[in-house]
Amino acid sequence: MRNFWVSVLTLTAVVSNSFAQGPNKPSSAEIHHNLQKLNFLGTALYIAAHPDDENTRLISYLSNHDKARTAYLSLTRGDGGQNLIGSELRELLGVLRTQELLAARRVDGGEQWFTRANDFGYSKHPNETLRIWDKKEVLGDVVWAIRNLKPDVIINRFNHRTPGTTHGHHTSSAMLSVEAFDLANDPNSYPNQLQSTSTWQPRRVFFNTSWWFYGSRENFEKADKSKMLKLDVGVFYPELGLSNNEIASMASSQHLCQGFGRVTTRGSQDEYVELLKGDLPSSNDLFDGIDTSWSRVKGGKAVGDILYQIEKDFDFSNPSKHIPELVKAYQLLQNVEDEHWKTLKSEELKSIILDCSGLYLEANAESASTTSGSNVKINVEALNRSNQSIILKEINVIGAGHKLNPNKALSNNAKENVEFEFAVPQTTSNSGPYWLNETGSLGMYTVTDPNMIGKPETPSPFHAEFVLTIDGVDIGFQKPVIHRFSKPDKGELYEPFVVLPEVTSSIAEKVLIFSDSKTKDVLVSVKAGKNNVSGEVSLKHPAGWHISPESIPFSIEQKGQEQSVIFKVTPPVEDSEGKISPMVKIDGQVHTKELVEITYDHVPKQSILLPSEAKVVRMNIQKSGEHIGYIMGAGDKVPESLKQIGYQVHTIDPETIQAGSLDKYDAVVVGIRAYNVVEELKFKQPHLFDYVERGGNLVVQYNTAGRWSKQFENIAPYDLTLSRDRVTDETAKVNIVANDHSLVNFPNTIKETDFDGWVQERGLYFPKEWSSDFTPILSMGDEGEAQTEGSLLVAPHGEGHYIYTGLSFFRELPAGVSGAYKLFANMLSIGKSEVKSESNVKG
């Protein structure tokens, strides 16, 4: 687990991240704050494309100043981006960014929603985006979110009127929002949705504009603001002890994998919203003219009369005195006919009843995971910290059909523990992100259960429903079954309780490169999900490949333990690509999943089940040199990939770099975005250039333009200006413009066909200007755009060579793209003469 400390708000308290994953324990001031939210019947929906697109200042303002129910609809989960804190990419990065969004919402008070759109990478135009996404389906998901949330106000992060000027995902999110604004109230649009929800017409839709969209502050000052509202989002909340922009900064700082950790800010700060559709408010209140009182709901006035009085007369020293009136309001609320508001406000009201009484309810599993058909030991803790009469009447395990009737009076501060076991039904599905259960397309995730669409994560498989008799009224409170434990160096920790297969398997190397027909040992790890697991393992493989032996028996006594088995894999003589997959057979049932766990301090532990497989590639590749130094940047798997073709890769700590220390390496590679994230490099740049001058080979991979220390005069020994230029179409034609250069001839001959099969993109952040000392090797461009030659540049420097490349090797090598391996081997071999194939290298 990576160790870093991030301040997280549980509204007013700044606490350890481990507690952000556990139960909320609000103070009296926070309870009163939540009571104010309970008494506001209005909803706002903020819409954008990715994690980190959301304006946390405005989300926090709507949630904590206006007291509105506020949701952020991120059309994607950010799968196509990069990761500054680890090696998770694609689907795993989407899982991590989903959790970071949820962490941000825990801070700013919002809710999180999604569509099924897959972040397939940068898109230059919404036409491309909506074609790949399947516009009809994603538009339907936006309509679904509006019909379920029933927002009065929608706010778009981006401008729908300027296609082609920014990321296609950004513009598409706004275009879909504007279209969905009208369709949500049309019963002829997506009529199947109306079996589970109802039509809805939002009152207004805005664009969250700023000077940035006008090109300069001067242009914005001159702009027509007759349809704009100005909101000061820097307000201070005395009850919370924080300014709105402090909360917003802490929320944004949850996006750590994108490098969004930041200092908090305070003071007045303006935000602008421009009306796109609906009526313009007569004030700077987005809900002006909308009834947000309890009178909005038929039968709600009687509920409001009680709750408004409690809010006015709230006893901060003894909130429990309000429980009888809160329970009375709850009873009246159950008679309200409007199911939307009844359901929503009943849950809010129950939380306030729970908090006012100091009730602590927990269902703690003995371990963090189980398997279908197993028994689970649960320890229930129930504690009433008030003088109110409360009886623990029932405990129902939802998801297992298990019921207890303790009928215990909960005396003030007298803890009650109930221990029991329940059987996990054989039909219980395995845990994991629901959107990864089925194979999706490039642009869309497949979700078979329509009621799951929009949800940020898969609900906990089991909930404990505590039926409490409070002031003579039975009220049910649901809590997910969790696993609580402690570590000496961490303290108290919480983990989600998950259902996993009896056994999972994995192949450590996800890409296996065979440069000849020699046999390699392939290690398969088998992990037990319960005690006393035994069976046999075989490898499913492509035609022409030979596996020996056909199967290997295994036996594991303890849950969580692993056993490794080794297969001998022999490739065919000719070039071939395919996948090998472990097949673990237990009692006639075959298990084919790998368990991947994501563990960071700022988000709950994630357990993901993916197909267990590895790509095998038979190709002829040659290389020169052997020892490669690697300076890690934002995190990638390039070092592991280079080891696959026989290089000995040595990770270099930038602090240890000094004059002459790099001379032992045949080449030095700088990882992706290293100049953006490794501050120490600003002191070591002269040593890198000296290494090249003395005959070294330095390969610098892509960096984000302009996002490095001002102390860097240049990241290259000659003038080199990075840009935001990129080629997003992974199938875009690539031309070799320096056919005679050694970079495309030694030791491997690079042809245009070597750019077949690339994934997600060609490359990004290409230089736009460079010294004549550089030789461009390739040209490429997206459809309808001019060719760019900045993707791969090489320059001699002294006795050595400096190479800058924006090609996305960090995606291509882990994907087993053979042409990318050949080209990277050539980059490492430039200036060398001795050639050897991977077959001559041990390991």
Side-chain angles (χ1 to χ4, degrees):
M1 181 178 290
R2 288 80 170 176
N3 295 314
F4 43 78
W5 194 269
V6 182
S7 295
V8 174
L9 177 69
T10 308
L11 284 167
T12 60
V14 178
V15 295
S16 159
N17 284 315
S18 61
F19 286 100
Q21 302 170 29
N24 186 25
K25 302 172 183 177
S27 66
S28 293
E30 292 167 331
I31 296 172
H32 186 255
H33 187 74
N34 292 334
L35 183 59
Q36 292 175 316
K37 289 185 176 184
L38 175 66
N39 283 334
F40 187 93
L41 278 69
T43 302
L45 174 61
Y46 199 90
I47 297 180
H50 309 107
D52 87 358
D53 283 347
E54 80 273 27
N55 185 340
T56 54
R57 295 182 300 274
L58 199 47
I59 290 175
S60 178
Y61 180 85
L62 291 166
S63 176
N64 297 301
H65 176 270
D66 288 353
K67 306 299 191 295
R69 181 192 188 193
T70 307
Y72 172 43
L73 175 62
S74 177
L75 268 60
T76 77
R77 297 175 185 268
D79 320 67
Q82 288 81 50
N83 184 355
L84 293 181
I85 62 174
S87 59
E88 294 87 3
L89 291 174
R90 288 304 310 154
E91 292 88 352
L92 295 179
L93 179 59
V95 174
L96 174 57
R97 289 189 169 184
T98 293
Q99 291 301 316
E100 289 187 336
L101 275 172
L102 287 169
R105 300 293 81 77
R106 286 193 291 269
V107 173
D108 60 32
E111 298 178 25
Q112 187 59 52
W113 283 61
F114 292 96
T115 74
R116 290 169 292 168
N118 189 349
D119 178 3
F120 56 85
Y122 192 88
S123 176
K124 293 181 177 178
H125 200 281
N127 289 348
E128 177 195 44
T129 299
L130 296 173
R131 182 180 69 252
I132 295 175
W133 273 356
D134 187 339
K135 176 187 174 182
K136 180 181 178 182
E137 294 301 313
V138 181
L139 176 60
D141 290 356
V142 179
V143 170
W144 171 256
I146 293 173
R147 286 174 171 174
N148 280 280
L149 285 163
K150 304 193 184 308
D152 303 293
V153 173
I154 295 176
I155 305 169
N156 296 337
R157 184 64 176 118
F158 300 105
N159 192 347
H160 70 289
R161 298 160 294 195
T162 56
T165 61
T166 184
H167 197 323
H169 297 182
H170 291 168
T171 310
S172 295
S173 70
M175 293 169 64
L176 294 173
S177 172
V178 171
E179 190 169 351
F181 179 84
D182 296 320
L183 295 180
N185 199 39
D186 181 1
N188 296 315
S189 295
Y190 303 98
N192 290 341
Q193 294 182 1
L194 302 180
Q195 299 174 20
S196 304
T197 187
S198 58
T199 58
W200 179 254
Q201 181 57 62
R203 182 77 169 264
R204 300 161 183 143
V205 59
F206 295 95
F207 162 43
N208 183 194
T209 189
S210 71
W211 69 263
W212 188 88
F213 293 97
Y214 287 77
S216 69
R217 295 184 187 277
E218 291 75 18
N219 289 342
F220 186 60
E221 287 297 323
K222 301 173 185 176
D224 177 12
K225 296 185 178 63
S226 60
K227 290 189 175 183
M228 291 188 194
L229 304 182
K230 183 173 73 171
L231 310 172
D232 182 356
V233 297
V235 294
F236 177 65
Y237 305 124
E239 280 188 320
L240 307 181
L242 290 166
S243 297
N244 186 75
N245 32 19
E246 288 180 290
I247 295 173
S249 297
M250 286 189 279
S252 292
S253 289
Q254 302 313 302
H255 295 298
L256 293 178
C257 76
Q258 299 180 78
F260 268 53
R262 59 190 58 185
V263 297
T264 57
T265 60
R266 287 151 291 280
S268 181
Q269 187 172 16
D270 291 335
E271 284 284 344
Y272 290 86
V273 293
E274 176 191 355
L275 182 72
L276 301 177
K277 289 187 176 184
D279 62 317
L280 183 68
S282 58
S283 69
N284 286 327
D285 177 3
L286 271 61
F287 292 90
D288 186 33
I290 300 172
D291 185 0
T292 58
S293 72
W294 278 100
S295 297
R296 174 177 193 164
V297 181
K298 182 180 179 181
K301 183 179 182 305
V303 179
D305 287 344
I306 296 173
L307 295 178
Y308 290 135
Q309 194 63 41
I310 295 174
E311 178 185 338
K312 179 182 177 182
D313 299 332
F314 190 75
D315 190 333
F316 289 87
S317 63
N318 182 25
S320 65
K321 69 177 286 185
H322 302 294
I323 290 176
E325 290 298 296
L326 289 169
V327 170
K328 186 184 297 183
Y330 176 80
Q331 287 181 287
L332 290 172
L333 182 54
Q334 304 320 297
N335 298 323
V336 168
E337 295 178 6
D338 189 317
E339 286 296 326
H340 172 74
W341 286 113
K342 180 170 71 173
T343 300
L344 180 66
K345 291 301 179 180
S346 289
E347 290 304 312
E348 290 184 41
L349 182 49
K350 286 197 295 183
S351 293
I352 289 175
I353 292 172
L354 204 69
D355 295 337
C356 284
S357 65
L359 270 166
Y360 186 86
L361 303 173
E362 180 181 272
N364 180 24
E366 187 177 44
S367 66
S369 67
T370 187
T371 60
S372 60
S374 297
N375 288 334
V376 178
K377 291 184 179 179
I378 297 291
N379 177 50
V380 162
E381 180 180 340
L383 178 63
N384 170 23
R385 288 171 287 191
S386 74
N387 290 319
Q388 293 296 320
S389 172
I390 300 176
I391 297 172
L392 176 58
K393 184 178 180 180
E394 298 175 6
I395 302 174
N396 302 311
V397 181
I398 299 173
H402 190 86
K403 183 177 180 179
L404 291 86
N405 301 99
N407 273 316
K408 289 187 175 182
L410 300 179
S411 303
N412 188 0
N413 216 29
K415 184 170 63 175
E416 292 288 346
N417 287 100
V418 179
E419 294 184 356
F420 63 92
E421 287 189 13
F422 71 86
V424 178
Q426 291 285 356
T427 56
T428 303
S429 300
N430 290 322
S431 299
Y434 68 87
W435 62 95
L436 299 180
N437 288 341
E438 305 288 338
T439 302
S441 65
L442 173 63
M444 292 289 290
Y445 282 117
T446 298
V447 180
T448 55
D449 181 357
N451 290 313
M452 291 298 295
I453 294 173
K455 294 184 182 298
E457 59 184 341
T458 306
S460 175
F462 303 105
H463 283 76
E465 182 188 40
F466 298 84
V467 179
L468 304 178
T469 304
I470 304 176
D471 210 37
V473 178
D474 289 351
I475 305 176
F477 300 86
Q478 287 191 23
K479 296 286 183 179
V481 175
I482 51 86
H483 175 56
R484 179 167 61 96
F485 62 107
S486 67
K487 288 184 177 180
D489 60 336
K490 297 286 185 181
E492 185 177 61
L493 297 170
Y494 290 82
E495 287 185 1
F497 180 67
V498 295
V499 179
L500 300 175
E502 294 178 311
V503 67
T504 54
S505 62
S506 64
I507 300 174
E509 301 290 348
K510 298 306 179 188
V511 176
L512 297 163
I513 307 296
F514 292 76
S515 65
D516 56 26
S517 57
K518 289 185 178 180
T519 299
K520 283 189 177 184
D521 288 342
V522 174
L523 185 145
V524 176
S525 296
V526 181
K527 185 175 184 178
K530 67 176 185 179
N531 294 337
N532 300 316
V533 176
S534 61
E536 61 180 22
V537 190
S538 61
L539 274 184
K540 185 179 179 181
H541 57 86
W545 294 72
H546 180 71
I547 309 294
S548 178
E550 290 187 3
S551 64
I552 301 175
F554 73 92
S555 181
I556 306 175
E557 292 184 1
Q558 295 294 321
K559 173 183 176 180
Q561 287 185 339
E562 294 188 43
Q563 181 177 331
S564 298
V565 297
I566 297 176
F567 290 93
K568 294 188 177 297
V569 178
T570 306
V573 175
E574 67 280 359
D575 286 356
S576 175
E577 291 188 10
K579 292 181 179 179
I580 56 174
S581 306
M583 313 289 285
V584 186
K585 191 174 184 179
I586 303 174
D587 298 328
Q589 185 176 3
V590 177
H591 297 269
T592 61
K593 295 293 186 180
E594 174 182 3
L595 174 63
V596 180
E597 295 178 334
I598 297 178
T599 54
Y600 292 95
D601 287 346
H602 65 304
V603 296
K605 178 181 176 181
Q606 297 297 295
S607 300
I608 304 102
L609 294 169
L610 298 175
S612 182
E613 60 188 21
K615 185 175 183 179
V616 288
V617 181
R618 168 71 173 95
M619 65 176 174
N620 180 32
I621 186 169
Q622 294 182 317
K623 66 187 189 65
S624 181
E626 183 171 352
H627 293 278
I628 307 300
Y630 203 94
I631 301 172
M632 291 300 297
D636 59 62
K637 294 184 177 180
V638 172
E640 294 91 329
S641 299
L642 297 180
K643 291 176 184 177
Q644 278 288 320
I645 56 174
Y647 284 108
Q648 294 187 40
V649 183
H650 311 269
T651 301
I652 299 173
D653 181 350
E655 292 187 358
T656 67
I657 297 175
Q658 53 187 311
S661 67
L662 303 177
D663 293 348
K664 57 191 173 184
Y665 301 116
D666 295 303
V668 172
V669 181
V670 180
I672 62 172
R673 297 178 73 174
Y675 288 99
N676 301 139
V677 299
V678 182
E679 192 75 10
E680 185 68 20
L681 279 179
K682 67 186 177 187
F683 304 114
K684 305 300 182 179
Q685 193 73 350
H687 297 314
L688 293 174
F689 292 160
D690 289 344
Y691 163 73
V692 179
E693 273 195 292
R694 292 195 298 272
N697 182 5
L698 181 64
V699 178
V700 178
Q701 298 179 84
Y702 98 93
N703 286 266
T704 305
R707 294 185 181 179
W708 53 65
S709 170
K710 293 181 180 179
Q711 296 186 42
F712 282 120
E713 291 185 6
N714 208 330
I715 62 172
Y718 308 110
D719 289 341
L720 184 73
T721 303
L722 302 188
S723 72
R724 299 183 67 85
D725 290 350
R726 62 180 76 202
V727 176
T728 62
D729 183 356
E730 65 270 26
T731 66
K733 181 174 174 54
V734 177
N735 301 301
I736 300 174
V737 296
N739 286 289
D740 296 330
H741 200 283
S742 64
L743 205 56
V744 290
N745 290 285
F746 177 84
N748 304 286
T749 300
I750 303 300
K751 303 176 181 178
E752 291 179 3
T753 54
D754 285 308
F755 293 92
D756 294 344
W758 284 48
V759 298
Q760 185 161 324
E761 63 200 354
R762 290 297 189 196
L764 61 171
Y765 293 103
F766 295 160
K768 64 178 179 180
E769 296 177 356
W770 52 83
S771 163
S772 60
D773 298 278
F774 285 102
T775 299
I777 305 300
L778 309 170
S779 73
M780 59 187 71
D782 284 317
E783 183 179 357
E785 295 187 356
Q787 295 280 297
T788 176
E789 295 186 346
S791 63
L792 179 57
L793 303 172
V794 58
H797 183 59
E799 299 297 319
H801 292 82
Y802 176 95
I803 297 173
Y804 185 90
T805 179
L807 293 171
S808 58
F809 288 106
F810 72 103
R811 298 193 192 280
E812 312 312 321
L813 298 186
V817 178
S818 57
Y821 273 92
K822 292 178 182 178
L823 182 55
F824 210 101
N826 282 14
M827 292 193 301
L828 298 177
S829 302
I830 191 170
K832 308 291 191 299
S833 58
E834 180 187 355
V835 179
K836 55 185 175 181
S837 66
E838 196 268 341
S839 60
N840 297 321
V841 180
K842 291 184 179 180

